[in-house]
Amino acid sequence: MFKNGLREFRDTLKRSIFVGERYQRNMQNMLAETYIVIVLGIVMSLVNAAKKDYLTMLSPLVFIVVGLLGIYFLKVRHSRRAAVLTTNIAVILVLSFDVLFVTNGFAFLWTLLVPLSVCYMFGIREGIRMSAYFEALFVVAFYTPIRQHLAGHYSEIVLDRFPILYFFNALITVYVMYQYHKSALFEIDYADRLNEEVARQTAVAEEKSRKIEEMSLRTIETLAYAIDAKDPYTKGHSSRVSQYSVALAQALGWPEQRVNDLRYAALLHDIGKIGVPDSILNNPKRLTDAEYDIIKSHTTTGAEILRDRIIIETAEDVAESHHERYDGKGYPHGRKGTEISEEARIVAVADAFDAMSSNRVYRKACEPERIRAELLNGRGAQFDPAYTDVFIDLWDRGLLDGIIGNSPNEDAESTEASSALLQTVLNTFITQGAADNQDLLTGVMNRNAGEAAIAKAMRETGGCLAFFDMDNLKKINDIGGHEAGDKALRLLGDTLKDHSANGICCRLGGDEFLLFLKGASREEAEKEACAVMEEFEKKKDSARETADASLSVGLALCTPSDSYMKIFNQADKALYHVKQNGKKGLSFYNTASESYTEEELDMNKLIRAIRKSGSYDGAMEVEYRQFAQFYEYIRNLEKRLAQPFMLIMVKLEPTGAAAQHFEELEASMYYMEQAIRQTIRNVDVVTRYSRQQFLIILLGADSEGVKTAMDRIFRGYYKMNGSGAFAPSYSVADPCEDPDPAGTGAGG
């Protein structure tokens, strides 16, 4: 055991606590110490000079020089090692000189500062070495013949006892600083593990995001095939327009990401044709004005389909504006010139070129001379003149030859998938309304719609993402029932809606919400978050059943160049910091230092918060999946520790035809739940198994205990529920007996 302790002591001393942010703080502290030493040296030099004690004046003068060297090493060279080494050498030389030669009965007392200051400022190893040196110096100076040289300047009691005093002063200091050193190493390891876990979770989330994006882009390609499949004469049109657009954008020197976005936006430029009847789309005759209006509506229809439903932010604009004209005579809005986005202007040229160079239901492909003439006639009128010139140059150089007339190869399976996807999109467009984007309980946007809207706004303006988490929701549900929990969530939803005039709010699920504040500065975001917390406190205080609710908020500032996933993870990390420090507060994520602006974790505060949030009576209520896990866990405990338990099913049976009403059943189930919760203990577990059944685990209960408990539960139920529409019954399973010993799973 002694060897293990010695090994732990040695291993602990090998590790420095001055790493990362602690290293920077230590450098600042050492710099502050050098200033103090210089000031002290000046003061002591003046005092000694006034008394003409020139021998004693040497020590403060040396420390002034050492302080100046320390400033140089710390501020100019940024070398902590050089500063520590210089200071230690100076301390040893100066204080040794004071002990042996400045025998005024006081100078040696400065050595009492050595153990604590060196341990704290330079490290525990340096403190032990320095303390050991001075202890050895005092033993030699006071307990050997050198003592005769000092006897005339120090009293006998000082000579006899000071080495002992210094030893215990150093011993106590080293012990305390060793404990501090261990605590600091624990915090460093904890922070490293936390950062590793966050990095791992971030990597997993980013990988999932990448796969989702990849699947979305494949879906876009399949959807483009589905669009073209409505008109056999335009097969491959969307793909060719996309390729032409990419070639033109690359010739203009666009960055790769923007080119890729254009690639997929161009693939979907005609998605609005989903809503155009085939009889009009494939009509070889001249269209009537009404039919032409329906054809033109594919631009606004396409924009409506894509709005907030796709990861490519320019897709909606391209679908809506690719038939706008440079002279302002296009549709649907009559925009002109630079009012039309660059992406839409590029797709307009590519779309017209493919329309003229492909066979259509009403005509064959045009001759190259005619296509050239149409492009030149439309230059500056229908098309952007600069983009037209670049496109014609690409055509003349043969760089478009591999695209003209080309159709993507689609097998039967892909064609079937395209047709199915087309029908799915059409059905979605017809049936999906604003309500699909709304969280039914709170009235704010749901996660899918909210995150898409926030990501889009984030790219446009930047701002601040606030991650709200309602504290103690489970406690509210346990004490006041789920009606109370739902009320608390609605209060928070209403509060966030009141503060989203210049922002976007959504519910992620459970007790988590997001509020994105467009273009908000740190001060504005903090002010708005505090306002939400204050308003929520006022609202919930008026309702007794929601009194335990509070809010924890993590905030992360962002610029338009930041990705949504990155900012979400930063806000989540800031929220985690609040939770670890006792809930009910807010914290900003500091992107500059990869740390938080709040103070470090206070474990005592955390423990008090956990105890406070958990201090309520009643059984543990869980979802059925958790209940099954608890059952297996408790069953294993029973096998290992002989801890008995009983599994009980409580069922409500209708007593008559009138009892079949859903409202009556729900009321009876509510009363039964309350009766169960008022009877069983904190260590017991309950879950709602079906519309008419509960499952209960009673720990440490035998058959007689079960009967007593169920009698009390049923009496409580009848006391609360006077209708008698549903009568309770129960059955008990013996957990020690395997219900399926053969392992077949039959009868489950």
Side-chain angles (χ1 to χ4, degrees):
M1 185 173 180
F2 175 76
K3 289 183 178 180
N4 292 337
L6 187 60
R7 186 182 301 111
E8 179 189 0
F9 180 76
R10 184 177 64 250
D11 293 342
T12 300
L13 292 186
K14 286 181 180 179
R15 296 181 58 191
S16 173
I17 64 173
F18 301 119
V19 295
E21 188 180 344
R22 285 180 177 273
Y23 180 87
Q24 299 300 327
R25 287 205 304 265
N26 181 250
M27 290 281 283
Q28 295 171 0
N29 292 338
M30 287 178 60
L31 189 61
E33 184 186 42
T34 59
Y35 291 129
I36 294 173
V37 168
I38 291 172
V39 172
L40 179 61
I42 293 172
V43 172
M44 295 306 298
S45 296
L46 294 175
V47 171
N48 292 327
K51 295 185 176 182
K52 297 182 180 182
D53 189 354
Y54 300 116
L55 182 64
T56 307
M57 192 169 66
L58 290 175
S59 297
L61 289 176
V62 171
F63 278 123
I64 292 174
V65 174
V66 171
L68 294 174
L69 285 174
I71 293 174
Y72 169 74
F73 287 131
L74 294 171
K75 295 198 69 173
V76 179
R77 296 282 299 277
H78 302 288
S79 174
R80 179 181 184 275
R81 181 182 179 86
V84 170
L85 182 61
T86 304
T87 305
N88 284 348
I89 292 173
V91 168
I92 290 173
L93 294 177
V94 170
L95 295 186
S96 297
F97 177 79
D98 287 347
V99 170
L100 297 175
F101 301 104
V102 184
T103 53
N104 58 16
F106 177 80
F108 75 99
L109 294 178
W110 288 103
T111 59
L112 292 172
L113 299 177
V114 168
L116 179 59
S117 59
V118 175
C119 282
Y120 181 78
M121 199 63 64
F122 300 152
I124 183 71
R125 288 176 296 182
E126 288 77 4
I128 292 174
R129 294 188 190 118
M130 192 77 77
S131 300
Y133 167 78
F134 280 105
E135 177 62 28
L137 176 65
F138 286 122
V139 169
V140 171
F142 290 0
Y143 293 166
T144 67
I146 299 176
R147 176 187 179 114
Q148 301 303 321
H149 168 69
L150 303 174
H153 304 283
Y154 300 108
S155 66
E156 286 295 318
I157 193 170
V158 170
L159 293 172
D160 290 340
R161 299 185 183 181
F162 188 78
I164 300 173
L165 170 65
Y166 191 87
F167 174 78
F168 282 100
N169 172 62
L171 183 64
I172 293 172
T173 302
V174 167
Y175 174 77
V176 172
M177 292 308 301
Y178 175 71
Q179 298 303 321
Y180 168 79
H181 189 85
K182 283 177 46 176
S183 175
L185 290 178
F186 175 82
E187 292 180 11
I188 292 170
D189 291 341
Y190 177 82
D192 288 343
R193 288 195 300 272
L194 177 61
N195 289 332
E196 288 173 3
E197 179 63 17
V198 170
R200 188 184 69 81
Q201 294 290 353
T202 300
V204 170
E206 289 178 348
E207 177 64 15
K208 287 183 179 179
S209 177
R210 185 192 64 78
K211 290 182 178 179
I212 291 171
E213 181 172 343
E214 186 177 299
M215 291 174 61
S216 299
L217 297 180
R218 289 178 182 172
T219 301
I220 290 172
E221 293 175 341
T222 307
L223 188 54
Y225 298 146
I227 298 165
D228 292 346
K230 284 180 65 70
D231 182 357
Y233 286 91
T234 62
K235 185 176 182 180
H237 169 70
S238 297
S239 176
R240 291 191 298 273
V241 169
S242 175
Q243 294 177 69
Y244 291 137
S245 300
V246 166
L248 180 50
Q250 288 174 337
L252 293 170
W254 282 18
E256 182 180 357
Q257 183 58 52
R258 192 177 182 190
V259 171
N260 283 332
D261 286 351
L262 176 61
R263 182 195 311 276
Y264 293 104
L267 275 172
L268 295 175
H269 76 283
D270 272 343
I271 191 174
K273 288 184 178 178
I274 287 175
V276 178
D278 292 351
S279 59
I280 297 177
L281 200 60
N282 299 326
N283 185 2
K285 300 179 181 179
R286 182 180 179 86
L287 298 177
T288 65
D289 291 343
E291 289 173 331
Y292 186 54
D293 286 340
I294 293 175
I295 287 284
K296 291 196 296 184
S297 70
H298 82 277
T299 55
T300 53
T301 300
E304 183 63 31
I305 291 174
L306 296 176
R307 184 164 297 130
D308 298 331
R309 289 186 175 93
I310 196 164
I311 59 175
I312 308 299
E313 66 175 311
T314 56
E316 176 190 338
D317 173 73
V318 168
E320 186 173 36
S321 302
H322 68 280
H323 281 294
E324 299 284 5
R325 289 171 55 102
Y326 198 75
D327 59 9
K329 297 180 180 179
Y331 63 86
H333 302 299
R335 296 171 182 151
K336 63 180 180 180
T338 55
E339 293 176 359
I340 310 167
S341 69
E342 292 178 309
E343 284 81 0
R345 280 182 269 158
I346 286 178
V347 173
V349 177
D351 186 38
F353 180 82
D354 188 70
M356 292 185 286
S357 59
S358 304
N359 291 325
R360 292 299 172 99
V361 65
Y362 49 86
R363 61 154 174 80
K364 291 185 177 181
C366 300
E367 296 296 326
E369 293 78 10
R370 182 181 174 187
I371 296 174
R372 180 184 298 274
E374 291 292 338
L375 289 175
L376 292 174
N377 289 335
R379 183 183 182 278
Q382 182 175 353
F383 312 118
D384 183 301
Y387 294 168
T388 305
D389 292 343
V390 175
F391 191 88
I392 292 175
D393 179 64
L394 291 172
W395 185 22
D396 289 343
R397 289 191 287 149
L399 300 178
L400 306 181
D401 293 349
I403 306 174
I404 299 173
N406 182 42
S407 295
N409 293 322
E410 248 191 310
D411 54 26
E413 185 178 346
S414 298
T415 303
E416 183 179 349
S418 298
S419 178
L421 182 60
L422 175 64
Q423 187 61 45
T424 300
V425 173
L426 183 59
N427 292 339
T428 300
F429 176 63
I430 293 172
T431 60
Q432 186 174 19
D436 292 326
N437 296 330
Q438 190 177 65
D439 177 65
L440 297 179
L441 176 63
T442 62
V444 301
M445 279 194 285
N446 61 26
R447 179 168 192 159
N448 290 337
E451 287 191 318
I454 290 173
K456 181 179 179 182
M458 197 177 283
R459 290 192 296 265
E460 293 172 351
T461 64
C464 183
L465 183 65
F467 196 150
F468 286 81
D469 183 274
M470 183 186 295
D471 306 322
N472 307 323
L473 179 61
K474 184 181 185 303
K475 178 179 178 180
I476 295 170
N477 285 333
D478 288 347
I479 295 176
H482 288 283
E483 293 85 356
D486 290 348
K487 183 173 184 178
L489 292 171
R490 283 193 293 269
L491 288 177
L492 179 52
D494 292 340
T495 305
L496 290 174
K497 283 189 289 185
D498 293 342
H499 289 266
S500 60
N502 187 37
I504 301 168
C505 65
C506 72
R507 183 186 180 193
L508 293 179
D511 54 3
E512 296 178 339
F513 294 75
L514 292 181
L515 174 63
F516 179 69
L517 302 169
K518 299 178 182 178
S521 66
R522 179 189 176 92
E523 293 73 22
E524 292 169 342
E526 183 173 4
K527 181 179 179 182
E528 195 68 16
C530 289
V532 170
M533 296 172 72
E534 291 171 3
E535 184 176 334
F536 179 76
E537 284 293 317
K538 293 178 182 177
K539 287 182 177 179
K540 61 99 173 177
D541 283 344
S542 62
R544 180 183 176 186
E545 61 269 33
T546 61
D548 290 311
S550 63
L551 298 181
S552 297
V553 191
L555 301 103
L557 297 169
C558 68
T559 64
S561 62
D562 290 323
S563 69
Y564 168 78
M565 185 59 68
K566 171 186 173 184
I567 301 303
F568 177 89
N569 287 331
Q570 289 179 354
D572 187 30
K573 193 172 181 182
L575 175 62
Y576 181 78
H577 181 71
V578 177
K579 289 289 192 179
Q580 292 299 305
N581 280 275
K583 306 179 183 180
K584 195 176 182 181
L586 62 84
S587 174
F588 272 91
Y589 184 86
N590 188 328
T591 55
S593 62
E594 292 297 320
S595 62
Y596 300 100
T597 57
E598 302 292 330
E599 63 182 6
E600 295 184 8
L601 175 64
D602 183 339
M603 294 301 294
N604 291 328
K605 182 179 179 183
L606 174 61
I607 292 171
R608 288 194 299 270
I610 292 174
R611 288 176 174 172
K612 182 179 179 182
S613 64
S615 59
Y616 61 97
D617 295 325
M620 182 186 300
E621 183 180 0
V622 296
E623 298 296 332
Y624 177 72
R625 181 184 292 273
Q626 294 173 292
F627 185 93
Q629 294 171 345
F630 272 114
Y631 176 83
E632 288 302 315
Y633 176 75
I634 295 171
R635 189 179 180 200
N636 288 331
L637 283 181
E638 192 275 336
K639 292 178 180 178
R640 290 189 63 182
L641 306 177
Q643 172 65 45
F645 73 100
M646 289 290 184
L647 177 64
I648 304 156
M649 175 176 284
V650 178
K651 185 176 182 180
L652 294 182
E653 297 283 354
T655 58
Q660 299 294 335
H661 291 278
F662 175 78
E663 293 82 5
E664 188 67 41
L665 173 59
E666 281 301 296
S668 298
M669 288 291 285
Y670 172 78
Y671 292 132
M672 177 55 72
E673 179 184 0
Q674 298 306 310
I676 292 172
R677 295 182 56 73
Q678 291 174 11
T679 301
I680 63 178
R681 304 155 300 169
N682 294 36
V683 295
D684 302 322
V685 187
V686 62
T687 188
R688 182 164 174 168
Y689 180 64
S690 71
R691 288 181 60 191
Q692 296 177 238
Q693 295 170 313
F694 290 92
L695 286 176
I696 305 172
I697 294 176
L698 291 182
L699 292 178
D702 54 16
S703 299
E704 190 61 28
V706 170
K707 184 177 185 305
T708 301
M710 297 313 300
D711 287 343
R712 291 180 59 193
I713 290 172
F714 288 0
R715 285 198 303 271
Y717 166 77
Y718 282 118
K719 185 176 181 181
M720 289 184 282
N721 185 18
S723 70
F726 287 83
S729 62
Y730 74 95
S731 56
V732 182
D734 186 354
C736 297
E737 295 180 2
D738 192 343
D740 186 19
T744 63

